[in-house]
């Protein structure tokens, strides 16, 4: 059996006596959490925001209820100048945010006390926490009829050498009661009264490690210092001087080791002190000096009476007649109740002035049957000090609401027949507050206490068990969960992580988890990201971010469990992808590859050695070949695919761009299929990364920028050899000004001599990355990605590197920019999706002259079935018998006048093609030549827009 032993609560808040709460009409509310107003009436619906606002208007008979459901302090120094009457006092009370919780805290602002009672009468302040001020905390000045009860003073962090007084009473005040307060380390004095004060009662307080005095009354007449516990004082624990008068009874002052701390060195002052000018007017008895054990030497005097030190209670009594019933030679726990059989138990004077019916925690003063009564008086058998030993009541673990979970309405019950007591006293009553606003149910032990939870909610029951002697203990079992009929709904959505300027981390998903309508009913939520990682979401968490380890499709699953154990789930598919990183193009490698040889390009060579790079966009130039062949780009460490990137032949220089995966090693292999060597130049023009913020792609229906044959673009007529044309691209023709790269289809035609075309951003001089190469009379085309990051004007420069003239044509087919609405890239291992010679792609026949072939590009080879708006292809015409060109475009759209791959008889040709995809997932390939040709199409990757959904 699980057994719960419910012991006394050190702070005591929420137990024992409580002042009756007046009707709402007699209550002013203060609550700074939510809607409040310092100019209103302080109603429960519109409370004051500050305590001072209530203090300025409170009237006799009213209670100021200070609430802090957010558990944040009121940071203000409050001064009360308004008074009550004897029959209608003013009350200030703190309110714990939950049963058993800490009271509202008032923390001073500046050097003034947290609370000053100035020239008031008939005022009670209770159940408040007081933040550490570094000076006096509560000051009573010129006031009478004041009670400060059950205040909890806060310890400074870190602890200081001790400054200020917790409760200060000035010499113009009288009839002041300081009762049942906890005053921790950090104060110079716990309670201090100044000369002239009268009728000051200091009772049932706990004061720890005061630096200059625990309870110090100077020139105070009619004082009563009763049942206090002062532990480890650096100076005197309790002192009366300056011709003070009164009684000192039932107190415990406990010393400490010889040296307590650097700020509290080995103390030498007596534990109790009554000055010579006060000794004839003070009576002292039933006190305890816990100053060691047995007959061991005392580390400091126990008493100073009439300025004479006394080391023991016996010596004090023999010399003065005081302390006839004092005890000493004890080692006692000073912040808990006396241990069983302690000499402190049932040994105090019940009729001592100021003796209360409850201890500092509100527990009753009870008779311990295991200890002989050695005290005196007629109103009980109190223990010495501020904390009363109680009967220990053991409540078995099943004495709590059972069942504790269910769908409202449901019935629960609490057993009332098996609690036991250490004193053997019978249990008198069980009282259960079920926490739902209904009245507590109190009954004798026996039959279970049943209750129906009618409304959904989470409730905190409180069970109080009381024995026949009056000892009671309170158990606070786990919450009762009354659920709704159906589990709370679960939903999950996501988006890619973006910067403020729209750049995208295409492998970093930001998930949004909305709070359900009944969020209180959710016990926990776990989000599994689909890659083996998961995260438990904190209460109220609505967003969480996750970086995926690689591009690919993942199913993220949110599993939500409610308080009744019911589970609901929500899923989204995340297409972790790549964003484009433009690179200023420069040739990075020039090598000769032998026949059937492989050139390995390291990750550093192609700039792929940064976070999350999955693919590189390369421009490859091949020349100097003595035999025909092809170049194939592929990821190092993977099998060589049956695809080609560049086709070459003897005596010709050719080039092409292609995207190639770099995973798993980051390096790239370039294979020469020819029977002779070939020299290659390789330049990186862009990277694709799933772990860096980059740009998204925006495919466009081709838009003509330049055609020198007809004057489009502002230049009509051939471009002379060695001359350039500058074209404005960014900010025109559908390309935004902030575009970071542009994708152009360029054509050189009616060429008068061999040459090449360089396409580069304006402002970048002597770019040596060339586009298409041609021989005399040849028409050539190329698709080129041009970085605009370094362009000073958003323009590109086309330079005719031939010695002879040529007409130039340029079309915009897409652009990359920092906008989250674009498409992200998913690379694939290069795969041939069309070969008209073998039937791959569904057609075993050449593509006829002026004929169109439809090619499905979605839903296979790793390309999603939907959301794809462009594919990255390489087109090859392997063995043409005539001249012409291919046009690749989105199915269902008008055929544009662009060249995707130009070919001439007897010379194979290849061309890159970033092609928009039709709504049906197809592209069209049109043969503009006069003879049928075979066509190979290699897929390199796709661009998608629905990255999370």
């Amino acid at each position: 059996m699980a057994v719960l032993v419910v012991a006394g609560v050190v702070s005591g808040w929420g137990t024992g006596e409580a002042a009756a709460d007046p009707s709402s009409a007699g209550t002013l509310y203060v609550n700074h959490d939510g809607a409040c107003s310092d100019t209103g009436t302080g109603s429960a619906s519109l409370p004051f925001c500050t305590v001072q606002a209530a203090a300025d208007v409170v009237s006799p008979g009213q209670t100021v209820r200070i609430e802090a459901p957010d558990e944040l302090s009121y940071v203000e120094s409050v001064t009360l100048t308004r008074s009550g009457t004897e029959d209608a006092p003013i009350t200030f009370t703190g309110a714990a945010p939950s049963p058993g919780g800490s009271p509202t805290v008032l923390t001073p602002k500046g050097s003034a006390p947290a609370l000053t009672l100035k020239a008031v009468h008939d005022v009670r302040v209770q159940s408040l926490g007081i933040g550490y001020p570094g000076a006096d905390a509560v000051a009573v000045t010129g006031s009478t009829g004041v009670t400060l009860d059950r205040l909890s003073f806060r310890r400074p962090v870190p602890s200081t050498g001790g400054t200020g007084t917790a409760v200060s009473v000035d010499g113009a005040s009288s009839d002041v009661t300081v009762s049942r307060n906890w005053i921790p380390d950090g104060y110079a004095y716990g309670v201090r009264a100044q000369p002239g004060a009268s009728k000051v009662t200091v009772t049932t307080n706990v004061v720890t490690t005061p630096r200059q005095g625990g309870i110090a009354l100077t020139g105070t007449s009619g004082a009563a210092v009763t049942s206090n516990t002062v532990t480890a004082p650096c100076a005197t624990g309790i002192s009366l001087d300056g011709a003070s008068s009164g009684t000192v009874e039932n107190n415990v002052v406990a010393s400490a080791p010889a040296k307590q701390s650097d700020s509290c060195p080995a103390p030498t002052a007596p534990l109790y002190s009554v000055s010579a000018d006060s000794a004839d007017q003070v009576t002292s008895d039933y006190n305890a000096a816990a100053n060691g054990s047995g007959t061991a030497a005392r580390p400091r005097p126990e008493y100073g009476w009439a300025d004479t030190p006394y080391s023991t209670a016996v010596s004090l009594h023999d010399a003065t007649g005081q302390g006839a019933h004092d005890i000493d030679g004890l080692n006692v726990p000073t912040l808990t109740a006396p241990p069983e059989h302690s000499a402190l138990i049932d040994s105090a004077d019940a009729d001592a002035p100021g003796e209360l019916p409850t201890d500092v925690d509100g527990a009753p003063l009870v008779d311990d049957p295991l200890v002989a009564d050695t005290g005196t008086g007629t109103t009980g058998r109190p223990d010495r000090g501020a904390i009363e030993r109680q009967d220990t009541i053991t409540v078995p673990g099943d004495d709590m609401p059972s069942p504790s979970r269910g769908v409202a309405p449901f019935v629960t019950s609490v057993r009332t027949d098996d609690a036991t007591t250490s004193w053997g006293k019978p249990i008198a009553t069980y009282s259960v507050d079920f926490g739902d606003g209904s009245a507590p149910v109190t009954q004798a032990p026996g039959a279970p206490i049943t209750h129906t939870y009618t409304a959904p909610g989470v409730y905190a029951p409180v069970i109080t068990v009381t024995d026949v002697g009056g000892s009671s203990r309170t158990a606070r079992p786990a919450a009762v969960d009354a659920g709704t009929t159906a589990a709370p709904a679960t939903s999950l959505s996501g988006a890619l992580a973006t910067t403020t300027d729209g750049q995208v981390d295409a492998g970093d998903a930001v998930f949004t988890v909305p709070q359900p309508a009944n969020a209180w009913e959710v016990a926990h939520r776990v989000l599994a990201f689909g890659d083996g990682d998961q995260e438990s979401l904190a209460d109220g968490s609505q967003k969480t971010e996750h970086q995926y380890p690689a591009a690919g499709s993942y199913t993220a699953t949110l599993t939500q469990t409610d308080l009744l154990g019911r589970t609901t789930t929500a899923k989204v598919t995340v297409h972790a992808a790549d964003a484009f990183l433009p690179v200023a193009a420069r040739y990075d490698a020039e090598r000769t590859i032998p026949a059937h040889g492989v050139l390995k390009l390291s990750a550093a060579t192609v700039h792929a050695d940064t976070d999350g790079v999955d693919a590189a966009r390369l421009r490859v130039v091949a020349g100097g070949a003595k035999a025909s062949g092809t170049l194939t780009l592929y990821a190092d460490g993977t099998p060589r695919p049956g695809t080609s990137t560049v086709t070459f032949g003897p005596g010709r220089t050719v080039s092409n761009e292609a995207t190639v995966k770099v995973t798993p090693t980051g390096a790239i292999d370039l294979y020469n299929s020819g029977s002779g060597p070939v020299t290659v130049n390789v330049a990186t023009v862009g990277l694709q990364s799933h772990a860096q913020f980059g740009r998204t792609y925006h495919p466009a229906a081709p838009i003509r920028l330049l055609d020198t044959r007809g004057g489009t673009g502002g230049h009509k007529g051939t471009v002379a050899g060695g001359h350039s044309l500058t074209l404005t691209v960014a900010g025109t023709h559908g390309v935004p000004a902030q575009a970071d790269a542009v994708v152009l289809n360029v054509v050189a035609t009616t060429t008068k001599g061999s040459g090449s075309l360089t396409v580069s951003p304006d402002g970048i001089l002597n770019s040596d990355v060339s586009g298409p190469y041609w021989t005399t009379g040849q028409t050539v085309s190329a698709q080129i990605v041009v970085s605009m990051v370094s362009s000073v004007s958003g323009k590109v420069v086309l330079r005719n590197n031939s010695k002879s003239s040529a007409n130039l044509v340029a079309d915009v087919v897409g652009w990359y920019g920092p906008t989250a609405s674009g498409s992200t890239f998913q690379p694939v291992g290069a795969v041939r999706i069309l070969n008209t010679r073998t039937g791959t792609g569904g057609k075993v026949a050449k593509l006829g002259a002026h004929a169109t072939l439809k090619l499905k590009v979605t839903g296979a080879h790793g390309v999603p079935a939907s959301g794809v708006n462009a594919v990255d292809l390489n087109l090859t015409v392997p063995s043409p018998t005539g001249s012409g060109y291919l046009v690749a475009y989105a199915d269902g759209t008008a055929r544009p006048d662009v060249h995707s791959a130009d070919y001439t008889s007897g010379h194979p040709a290849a061309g890159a093609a970033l092609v928009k995809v039709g709504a049906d997932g197809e592209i069209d390939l049109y043969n503009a030549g006069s003879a049928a040709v075979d066509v190979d199409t290699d897929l390199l990757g796709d661009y998608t827009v629905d990255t999370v959904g």
Side-chain angles (χ1 to χ4, degrees):
M1 174 183 293
V3 175
L4 173 64
V5 177
V6 187
V9 181
V10 171
S11 70
W13 301 107
T15 64
E17 293 184 338
D21 194 22
S23 67
S24 59
T27 302
L28 301 180
Y29 291 87
V30 181
N31 191 332
H32 59 191
D33 181 24
C36 61
S37 172
D38 279 346
T39 61
T41 60
S43 65
S45 59
L46 186 62
F48 293 120
C49 302
T50 64
V51 180
Q52 186 64 60
D56 289 342
V57 298
V58 64
S59 299
Q62 287 189 315
T63 290
V64 176
R65 181 178 173 87
I66 309 166
E67 300 176 327
D70 57 5
E71 300 191 25
L72 297 178
S73 297
Y74 286 84
V75 181
E76 51 179 307
S77 292
V78 177
T79 298
L80 178 66
T81 59
R82 299 173 69 85
S83 298
T85 67
E86 185 175 354
D87 295 330
I90 287 174
T91 300
F92 281 72
T93 184
S98 60
S102 298
T104 299
V105 176
L106 181 63
T107 298
K109 186 175 184 180
S111 59
L115 177 62
T116 300
L117 305 182
K118 184 176 181 180
V120 302
H121 58 83
D122 298 296
V123 171
R124 180 182 182 89
V125 180
Q126 64 184 30
S127 303
L128 266 177
I130 305 295
Y132 183 75
D136 292 354
V138 177
V140 180
T141 63
S143 298
T144 184
V146 170
T147 297
L148 304 175
D149 185 51
R150 304 188 71 180
L151 306 183
S152 177
F153 293 80
R154 296 310 193 249
R155 177 180 287 108
V157 179
S159 182
T160 68
T163 57
T165 299
V167 177
S168 174
V169 181
D170 78 345
S173 296
S174 65
D175 193 16
V176 176
T177 298
V178 181
S179 59
R180 298 188 300 182
N181 302 301
W182 284 85
I183 302 173
D185 305 3
Y187 289 92
Y189 294 91
V191 181
R192 191 179 189 189
Q194 302 292 342
S198 64
K199 297 181 181 179
V200 175
T201 298
V202 183
T203 179
T204 322
N205 302 281
V206 175
V207 183
T208 63
T209 319
R211 296 308 198 269
Q212 298 183 43
I215 299 170
L217 307 183
T218 300
T220 303
S221 62
V225 181
T226 305
S227 292
N228 300 284
T229 296
V230 181
T231 176
C234 297
T236 300
I238 296 175
S239 65
L240 280 75
D241 62 11
S244 294
S245 64
T247 60
V248 180
E249 289 199 56
N250 298 347
N251 301 285
V252 175
V253 179
S255 186
K259 183 177 181 181
Q260 299 174 33
S261 69
D262 290 338
S263 61
C264 183
T268 58
L271 299 181
Y272 296 87
S273 176
V274 177
S275 66
D277 58 3
S278 304
D280 292 341
Q281 306 171 99
V282 174
T283 300
S284 175
D285 204 359
Y286 291 95
N287 298 298
N291 199 23
S293 61
T295 59
R298 307 291 195 261
R300 60 196 289 187
E302 292 181 354
Y303 303 93
W305 194 272
D307 301 330
T308 299
Y310 297 94
S311 60
T312 66
V314 171
S315 63
L316 171 70
H317 179 65
D318 289 346
T320 66
Q322 300 289 337
H325 302 91
D326 282 13
I327 53 178
D328 56 11
L330 302 177
N331 268 334
V332 299
T334 54
L335 297 181
T336 58
E340 195 65 85
H341 306 294
S342 169
L344 301 178
I345 297 174
D346 294 350
S347 63
D349 178 9
D351 295 333
E355 182 70 28
L356 300 178
T358 62
D359 73 358
V360 69
D361 291 326
L365 306 185
V366 295
D367 183 18
D368 183 345
L370 305 183
V371 175
D373 296 340
T374 58
T376 189
T378 59
T379 58
R381 290 294 179 262
D383 301 344
R384 304 190 195 202
I387 307 174
E388 179 82 0
R389 176 75 188 183
Q390 300 288 309
D391 190 2
T392 300
I393 299 176
T394 302
V395 182
D398 57 358
D399 280 12
M400 51 192 62
S402 179
S404 61
R405 292 179 176 179
V407 175
F410 77 95
V411 178
T412 188
S413 64
V414 176
R415 288 188 63 175
T416 67
D417 59 358
D418 55 357
T420 59
T421 70
S422 62
W423 292 348
K425 292 188 175 183
I427 298 299
T429 60
Y430 277 76
S431 180
V432 182
D433 182 344
F434 287 93
D436 59 355
S438 60
V441 179
T442 302
Q443 68 178 45
I449 297 175
T450 61
H451 180 72
T452 300
Y453 284 100
T454 59
V458 178
Y459 303 103
V462 178
I463 303 171
T464 302
V465 182
T466 305
D467 70 10
V468 295
S471 289
S472 62
R473 291 297 183 263
T474 298
R476 304 181 190 278
V480 172
D481 305 321
T484 55
T485 303
T490 302
S491 62
L492 176 67
S493 62
L496 297 182
T498 60
T499 62
T500 54
D501 65 356
Q503 295 191 58
V504 174
D505 185 340
D508 189 353
V510 179
F511 296 95
T512 298
V513 183
Q515 288 283 63
N518 296 315
W520 61 268
E521 202 169 355
V522 176
H524 55 85
R525 293 178 292 188
V526 175
L527 179 56
F529 299 107
D531 60 356
D533 285 348
Q534 65 180 35
E535 179 181 341
S536 293
L537 302 183
D539 292 344
S541 175
Q542 291 189 312
K543 287 187 181 296
T544 189
E545 189 171 346
H546 183 69
Q547 179 72 59
Y548 283 93
S553 293
Y554 304 88
T555 299
T557 303
L558 175 67
T559 301
Q560 178 175 283
T561 304
D562 73 0
L563 295 172
L564 303 185
R566 298 174 295 188
T567 298
T568 53
T569 60
K571 299 176 184 290
V572 296
T573 299
V574 178
H575 302 289
D578 291 321
F580 186 73
L581 310 174
V583 175
R586 291 286 187 274
Y587 283 119
D588 299 309
E590 182 176 3
R591 304 284 192 277
T592 297
I593 309 175
H596 308 296
V598 176
L599 170 64
K600 180 177 179 178
L601 301 173
S602 69
T605 299
V606 295
H607 309 286
D609 53 350
T610 57
D611 289 346
V613 173
D614 293 316
R617 179 82 174 183
L618 304 181
R619 172 152 285 274
V620 180
V621 178
K626 303 300 183 183
S628 297
T630 62
L631 295 174
T632 298
L633 278 170
Y634 59 101
D636 181 59
T638 65
R640 184 173 72 246
T643 59
S644 62
T645 304
V646 177
T647 62
F648 60 84
R652 290 196 175 194
T653 300
V654 293
S655 66
N656 194 21
E657 281 190 13
T659 301
V660 56
K661 288 186 71 173
V662 299
T663 52
T665 67
I668 294 171
D669 289 348
L670 187 56
Y671 170 69
N672 171 19
S673 71
S675 57
V678 62
T679 299
V680 299
N681 269 327
V682 180
T684 303
V685 299
L687 302 169
Q688 299 279 2
S689 172
H690 70 268
Q692 298 184 58
F693 284 99
R695 289 74 170 174
T696 56
Y697 183 56
H698 300 257
I703 303 172
R704 183 138 296 173
L705 284 175
L706 173 72
D707 189 340
T708 60
R709 295 169 300 183
T712 300
H715 184 96
K716 186 173 183 178
T718 59
V719 179
H723 285 70
S724 301
L725 292 179
T726 299
L727 303 176
T728 299
V729 178
T732 185
H733 294 83
V735 180
Q738 72 272 24
D740 294 298
V742 64
V743 184
L744 300 179
N745 261 30
V746 294
V747 177
T749 188
T750 59
T751 55
K752 302 301 182 181
S754 61
S756 65
L757 179 67
T758 298
V759 183
S760 60
D762 184 31
I764 306 301
L765 301 176
N766 302 318
S767 173
D768 54 3
V769 179
S770 300
Y773 289 77
W774 62 80
T775 59
T776 302
Q778 184 184 9
T779 295
V780 294
S781 62
Q783 190 174 93
I784 297 174
V785 175
V786 185
S787 171
M788 303 296 291
V789 174
S790 301
S791 175
V792 297
S793 60
K795 299 178 180 180
V796 297
V797 178
L798 279 65
R799 178 177 175 81
N800 178 5
N801 296 315
S802 172
K803 294 182 179 180
S804 303
S805 65
N807 277 302
L808 303 179
V809 181
D811 294 277
V812 175
V813 297
W815 54 274
Y816 294 93
T819 56
S821 60
S823 305
T824 54
F825 184 65
Q826 176 71 56
V828 300
V831 58
R832 183 148 290 174
I833 61 173
L834 175 67
N835 183 332
T836 56
R837 302 180 301 283
T838 64
T840 298
K843 182 176 178 63
V844 189
K846 291 184 176 183
L847 178 58
H850 308 296
T852 300
L853 179 153
K854 295 181 182 295
L855 179 63
K856 183 76 169 180
V857 293
T858 60
H861 309 294
V863 179
S866 62
V868 178
N869 65 2
V871 287
D872 192 348
L873 304 176
N874 192 65
L875 307 176
T876 301
V877 181
S879 53
T881 57
S883 297
Y885 60 92
L886 298 179
V887 181
Y889 61 100
D891 184 55
T893 65
R895 184 175 72 245
D897 181 21
V898 297
H899 294 213
S900 300
D902 280 271
Y903 57 85
T904 58
S905 180
H907 295 285
L914 283 176
V915 186
K916 285 194 72 173
V917 175
D920 55 4
E922 295 184 342
I923 65 167
D924 291 349
L925 296 176
Y926 173 71
N927 178 15
S930 57
V933 293
D934 282 308
V935 179
D936 295 335
T937 302
D938 298 330
L939 174 69
L940 309 178
D942 63 82
Y943 286 90
T944 59
V945 291
D946 58 341
T947 52
V948 183

